[in-house]
Amino acid sequence: MFDYYDEMGMSRAELLEKIQTMVKPARFEHMLGVEKAAVELAKRYMGNIYSASLAGLLHDYAKEVSDTDFIKLIETYQLDPDLKNWGNAVWHGKVGFLKVKEDLGLDNAEILRAIQVHTVGAREMALLDKIIYVADYIEDGRDFLGVDEARELAKVSLDKAVAYETRETVKYLAARNLPIYPDTIATYNAYIKVLNND
Ligand SMILES: [Fe+2]
Ligand SMILES: [Fe+2]
């Protein structure tokens, strides 16, 4: 991996130490797993390996930030007020990228955007957005029904992997009578058709 991150003025060792002050060990391991999966996808789909590595490593940086702090960030940055009706699952990406920016001084729009949309996706996703979205779902530590199919799809088509993951997320939430964030529905509508053409 990379030894030094110029844009944050920090060595990898320093960054890993900082991340570990933010998240529990199991989540830290998951973040390393997403980094590895993201780098593999970046190699396969000719993405930027540096961006994939850093976005993967940082994507859940804000996952253990308190609800109170997220509400404060929504207010400070005057984000969409509807965000307040959601919770950590949505906030740690849609709001959490600002925590990454504030704490680490990272000002890389491509990476921050991939962190922002990593849970809910978006109607239009850049290559890095898709890489992180899918890597989060298929990293080696993941073990759930359907993960192997997602891994296979990710080898043949990143868009198909995005579609599959989104469909499974929609199914999962709907089966439990849980609300679905509008961006997830938008992602579903934008990508689902790719599962039908071969
Ligand atoms: Fe996440
Ligand atoms: Fe994650």
Side-chain angles (χ1 to χ4, degrees):
M1 287 307 151
F2 300 86
D3 293 331
Y4 195 80
Y5 302 102
D6 270 336
E7 52 196 329
M8 294 182 286
M10 214 185 275
S11 69
R12 181 170 176 91
E14 287 169 322
L15 180 59
L16 296 185
E17 213 170 283
K18 174 66 185 161
I19 295 170
Q20 283 173 290
T21 66
M22 294 295 293
V23 299
K24 295 186 188 86
R27 177 154 292 114
F28 179 64
E29 288 305 313
H30 161 69
M31 291 158 82
L32 290 171
V34 173
E35 178 185 34
K36 178 170 171 274
V39 166
E40 285 168 11
L41 290 171
K43 285 180 181 163
R44 184 179 293 275
Y45 294 104
M46 291 181 295
N48 182 317
I49 289 168
Y50 171 81
S51 302
S53 161
L54 197 46
L57 187 59
L58 291 174
H59 80 286
D60 273 345
Y61 179 85
K63 182 75 181 173
E64 293 170 29
V65 165
S66 71
D67 290 0
T68 322
D69 285 349
F70 277 126
I71 297 286
K72 275 189 212 148
L73 284 165
I74 293 168
E75 286 171 354
T76 305
Y77 288 90
Q78 299 182 311
L79 303 181
D80 179 1
D82 173 63
L83 275 167
K84 288 190 187 173
N85 299 317
W86 299 83
N88 178 279
V90 168
W91 292 338
H92 82 279
K94 294 292 283 187
V95 186
F97 77 101
L98 292 165
K99 187 80 182 147
V100 172
K101 195 174 170 170
E102 280 190 355
D103 282 15
L104 305 174
L106 180 71
D107 207 13
N108 180 317
E110 185 196 23
I111 293 176
L112 291 173
R113 152 84 184 180
I115 295 170
Q116 187 181 11
V117 304
H118 85 266
T119 316
V120 295
R123 189 164 55 82
E124 286 183 49
M125 295 170 82
L127 177 58
L128 186 65
D129 300 342
K130 293 176 193 173
I131 285 174
I132 301 305
Y133 186 79
V134 171
D136 192 18
Y137 201 69
I138 65 168
E139 61 101 355
D140 291 344
R142 295 290 201 198
D143 184 19
F144 54 85
L145 201 66
V147 72
D148 287 329
E149 189 169 350
R151 287 180 180 132
E152 289 309 308
L153 283 172
K155 287 179 190 160
V156 295
S157 160
L158 201 50
D159 282 356
K160 283 190 183 187
V162 167
Y164 178 84
E165 170 181 344
T166 310
R167 187 191 75 193
E168 293 307 300
T169 301
V170 167
K171 276 164 61 179
Y172 177 91
L173 295 169
R176 286 161 185 76
N177 302 327
L178 290 167
I180 300 174
Y181 192 69
D183 288 3
T184 299
I185 302 288
T187 310
Y188 176 87
N189 287 331
Y191 288 92
I192 195 63
K193 52 188 166 300
V194 302
L195 286 180
N196 298 320
N197 22 306
D198 283 300

